[in-house]
Amino acid sequence: MTLRHPDPAAAGPHASDLHASGPRPPDPHPLDPLTAEEITAARRVLGEAGKVGTATRFPLVLLDEPDRRTAAAHRAGDPVTRRLRVTLLDAATGVTAEAVVDVTAGALLSYRELDAASEGQAAITFEEYGIVDEVVKADPGWRKAMAERGVTAPEALALAVCAPLSAGALAAETDGRPGRRLLRSLTWLRCTPDDSAWAHPVGGLAVDVDVVERRVVRITDTGPVPVPAECGRYEAEFTGPARTDLRPLEITQPEGPSFTLDGHRLSWQNWSFRVDFNAREGLVLHRIAYRDGDRERSVLHRASLAEMAVAYGEAEESRNWVAFLDAGEYSLGRSTNALRLGCDCLGEIRYLDAVLADDLGAPRTLPNAVCVHEEDAGLLWKHTDSFHGDAVESRRARRLVVSFIATVGNYDYGFYWYFHQDGSIGFEAKSTGIVQTAAVPPGAGSPHGTEVAPGLLAPYHQHLFCVRLDAAVDGPANTVEEVDVVPLPAGPGNPAGNAFTARTTPITAAGDGGRLADPALGRRWQITNPAARNRMGRPVAYTLVPQPGPVLLARPGSAVARRMAYGTKHLWVTRHRTDRRYPAGDHPNQHPGGAGLPSWAVGDESLENTELTLWHTFGPTHLPRPEEWPVMPVDHSGFTLRPTGFFDRNPALDLPR
């Protein structure tokens, strides 16, 4: 991962200390992002060990991150051992394998093949997108189904979009061969090569493709539905005259931004952390700390968007299986956009490139993968002292934003970490792009969606984002407490009936680690350090303040609920372990379900005063509106982490007037 100015030729002198071309490359760190040399070395080691053939594909190449103690003990100049976790797919047989490669020593440390029926399969490769399109369009059964819908012209069939959709567990169960490598495909049409296919769904038709055998294994056809004819173009030339009453809005920082980058370590105000990017999760932040006087105080060891599910609520047979895990099945990091100044980010921007492996295991640079900038954030604090001549003191807020944007199929997602001057951390997911569509008879509507154009249904669905937070509040040993606000019963202790209090319940054992938010109780969760006390004698803490919506609505026992079980709770607390990486398990593609959080949050494993991971699930249950067609305005969701007795007073008192 390297840094770039949006226009290097135009960068002023203030940007020189931020360029990757600085006077001396920084010392390597065990948490640095992967380099092209490391990806190449891993492929070479695997090849020399006889594990790479002409059919070998590399769905994921990731850093095998060191444990907390190793990362915390590292000092500049210390030797660094780098290990990579590589997922391999044999495209000729469908066999998935896992390998760990020590690229420092040039050694293969481990290699094993997965049992696809019980352990799942490798994530979907970009190559398989093309395989699905080619196989479906060549299939006589699909062509017959299209002909029954009045689509026969070769040019119309050529313009069809046969989307490569994850099969989940349902296809494997009903197919009778759970080890098969399957993708499912729905069909959309285009009028021209640059038309929006999402405006023209082909209803009642789903196709299962064996991507190893490269053939259709099943077609589900519930009968023709008229293909919506109205186009859904949203580009400027199709939407009428542009507004003329917007005046220029310029954001300038003539002395440059207030943050600095030393290698991959970013510092801003009193915050510091390391910036990483990987092919599965995208942006990862390590070792987040706040400088409090002369102390560097840890808050989080690691923070990332670990998974995101999109689960649809249709009952119709050709679509009642539609549910995706965009990180685990589609590799969110590999779907990241190359950002553009003035469109995706605004102001004095610094971009970070990312280096990822392609399907053949070769390194590829993704330019402008991460955006770093500052934003005005409104009023931070203010008071008018009416007892002192109406004296006014106020401070304006600024926040640091670290973000990336990924496109997975029809949806585009922006993910934003916010760092505030008062010690708070925010996370926001911005969902935009185009709602997925289905066809219905014009005017018929559906109890499972909104008709956004004649005959065009936008189905109801859920976005269930799951953020992984490896807690480190003033040290590695933490305890999580659930805090509810409750009214007190009327009586001698509450004679006026107005009193209420905060009820605190420690989460002490793994079996109690799955929790639901409750807005009626103002429920939030406090991450405390029992060994670190503030001046009031209370344990220092950070509080996770949720913005809760419904949890997963699929019925218990359904294929969707088994595979996306993390979405049944707003919060899970687990003991931190290096092999507990993803809430739906390491290989959710075609996994039967039950991996990840449901298997960890059981029993009496202690969660008190120890290394913990919090897994927070949030996101909208989306009932589409006509105003979200043909392209959707951003929908916001997220959460906040607030210091709660972590500081002895307002940490933003020292901001200048």
Side-chain angles (χ1 to χ4, degrees):
M1 179 178 272
T2 56
L3 183 84
R4 78 170 59 217
H5 192 277
D7 182 3
H14 63 270
S16 62
D17 65 325
L18 296 176
H19 275 272
S21 58
R24 182 183 66 84
D27 291 319
H29 189 278
L31 294 173
D32 280 346
L34 295 184
T35 67
E37 293 77 15
E38 289 171 334
I39 293 171
T40 300
R43 194 187 193 286
R44 182 182 66 250
V45 169
L46 287 162
E48 291 170 350
K51 305 301 184 184
V52 178
T54 57
T56 304
R57 302 294 181 263
F58 292 74
L60 280 178
V61 179
L62 305 170
L63 176 66
D64 187 36
E65 294 176 13
D67 60 44
R68 289 189 185 203
R69 291 173 178 80
T70 299
H74 179 81
R75 298 294 180 267
D78 288 352
V80 174
T81 298
R82 298 276 282 179
R83 296 176 176 175
L84 274 60
R85 285 189 294 113
V86 183
T87 302
L88 301 104
L89 171 68
D90 188 329
T93 65
V95 172
T96 296
E98 291 181 319
V100 177
V101 180
D102 184 330
V103 295
T104 305
L108 177 60
L109 302 181
S110 66
Y111 178 91
R112 75 176 189 94
E113 295 182 355
L114 272 60
D115 177 358
S118 62
E119 296 183 272
Q121 301 192 19
I124 300 162
T125 66
F126 290 149
E127 178 184 48
E128 289 171 327
Y129 290 17
I131 292 173
V132 168
D133 189 74
E134 178 183 336
V135 168
V136 172
K137 288 181 180 177
D139 182 72
W142 177 81
R143 287 178 169 264
K144 178 176 179 291
M146 295 298 286
E148 291 171 351
R149 289 159 171 80
V151 184
T152 57
E155 58 271 19
L157 294 173
L159 287 172
V161 173
C162 299
L165 306 177
S166 57
L170 188 62
E173 290 171 354
T174 55
D175 182 69
R177 287 179 54 185
R180 263 186 166 160
R181 187 163 177 84
L182 295 171
L183 286 173
R184 290 192 121 173
S185 183
L186 298 173
T187 302
W188 284 264
L189 300 179
R190 293 172 293 176
C191 299
T192 61
D194 59 353
D195 185 23
S196 174
W198 310 111
H200 314 290
V202 175
L205 181 63
V207 182
D208 290 1
V209 178
D210 185 319
V211 292
V212 174
E213 297 179 2
R214 300 198 177 202
R215 68 183 184 90
V216 171
V217 296
R218 179 177 54 196
I219 293 178
T220 301
D221 189 348
T222 60
V225 178
V227 176
E230 186 176 287
C231 287
R233 302 302 292 267
Y234 50 85
E235 303 94 322
E237 58 268 32
F238 297 98
T239 57
R243 302 180 189 188
T244 59
D245 55 352
L246 279 176
R247 306 288 176 84
L249 173 64
E250 297 182 359
I251 299 173
T252 62
Q253 292 181 272
E255 298 180 21
S258 303
F259 59 82
T260 59
L261 273 157
D262 180 12
H264 304 289
R265 185 177 187 271
L266 193 154
S267 301
W268 177 79
Q269 298 287 280
N270 293 319
W271 288 107
S272 65
F273 49 88
R274 303 192 66 83
V275 183
D276 186 13
F277 193 94
N278 70 50
R280 180 162 178 162
E281 300 159 287
L283 179 62
V284 180
L285 305 181
H286 299 281
R287 299 190 59 74
I288 299 172
Y290 192 96
R291 189 181 67 252
D292 184 11
D294 58 359
R295 290 192 298 159
E296 190 92 352
R297 303 178 66 189
S298 63
V299 178
L300 295 171
H301 172 69
R302 188 187 193 276
S304 71
L305 178 74
E307 190 54 88
M308 51 178 292
V310 189
Y312 286 78
E314 294 173 275
E316 197 267 335
E317 183 184 358
S318 67
R319 294 183 59 92
N320 62 10
W321 52 272
V322 180
F324 314 120
L325 289 161
D326 285 345
E329 293 177 330
Y330 284 96
S331 303
L332 190 66
R334 295 184 77 194
S335 304
T336 295
N337 295 183
L339 301 175
R340 296 185 298 165
L341 182 66
C343 297
D344 305 309
C345 304
L346 188 63
E348 188 72 18
I349 305 299
R350 299 295 180 268
Y351 289 117
L352 298 168
D353 296 344
V355 180
L356 307 174
D358 66 13
D359 284 354
L360 297 178
R364 295 287 182 266
T365 297
L366 174 63
N368 294 5
V370 176
C371 174
V372 184
H373 71 290
E374 294 173 284
E375 289 180 344
D376 180 272
L379 187 67
L380 179 57
W381 60 263
K382 176 178 180 175
H383 182 60
T384 300
D385 189 348
S386 57
F387 298 111
H388 187 55
D390 289 333
V392 178
E393 287 282 347
S394 67
R395 302 292 185 271
R396 194 148 187 92
R398 188 183 299 191
R399 67 184 180 187
L400 179 73
V401 187
V402 188
S403 63
F404 76 107
I405 297 175
T407 300
V408 188
N410 52 301
Y411 264 109
D412 300 76
Y413 301 97
F415 301 107
Y416 300 79
W417 288 98
Y418 299 128
F419 292 87
H420 297 268
Q421 293 162 311
D422 66 353
S424 299
I425 301 172
F427 181 85
E428 185 176 35
K430 298 181 181 181
S431 307
T432 180
I434 302 178
V435 292
Q436 197 182 109
T437 54
V440 293
S446 166
H448 310 296
T450 303
E451 195 171 358
V452 294
L456 186 68
L457 187 76
Y460 298 157
H461 58 282
Q462 294 184 281
H463 301 262
L464 296 168
F465 306 106
C466 186
V467 166
R468 168 185 164 187
L469 303 169
D470 291 354
V473 175
D474 246 358
N478 294 155
T479 298
V480 173
E481 299 172 341
E482 187 167 87
V483 181
D484 294 336
V485 181
V486 294
L488 294 176
N494 182 20
N498 66 307
F500 59 91
T501 190
R503 181 178 63 206
T504 301
T505 306
I507 302 173
T508 59
D512 297 324
R515 316 300 296 181
L516 289 170
D518 189 342
L521 297 174
R523 181 168 293 169
R524 73 281 314 267
W525 297 282
Q526 230 168 235
I527 312 166
T528 73
N529 186 330
R533 303 275 168 162
N534 56 31
R535 67 174 178 161
M536 308 308 295
R538 301 292 302 161
V540 300
Y542 259 77
T543 297
L544 192 162
V545 182
Q547 301 171 15
V551 293
L552 184 70
L553 294 172
R555 300 299 301 174
S558 66
V560 171
R562 290 197 305 271
R563 292 181 357 96
M564 300 176 175
Y566 79 84
T568 61
K569 304 291 183 182
H570 291 109
L571 180 76
W572 302 80
V573 183
T574 63
R575 180 81 72 92
H576 172 78
R577 298 192 187 282
T578 55
D579 61 347
R580 293 176 176 177
R581 291 178 282 259
Y582 311 112
D586 283 356
H587 301 285
N589 186 24
Q590 291 183 236
H591 195 285
L597 283 167
S599 65
W600 306 332
V602 294
D604 58 0
E605 183 179 48
S606 175
L607 301 179
E608 293 184 279
N609 201 22
T610 189
E611 294 183 354
L612 298 176
T613 298
L614 285 75
W615 311 82
H616 178 39
T617 302
F618 62 95
T621 293
H622 190 181
L623 309 181
R625 302 172 291 125
E627 292 87 349
E628 293 170 334
W629 180 259
V631 65
M632 174 182 161
V634 162
D635 193 5
H636 303 260
S637 59
F639 65 91
T640 304
L641 285 166
R642 289 182 182 158
T644 308
F646 188 82
F647 303 104
D648 287 336
R649 61 179 188 166
N650 181 349
L653 291 173
D654 58 350
L655 289 177
R657 288 175 172 165

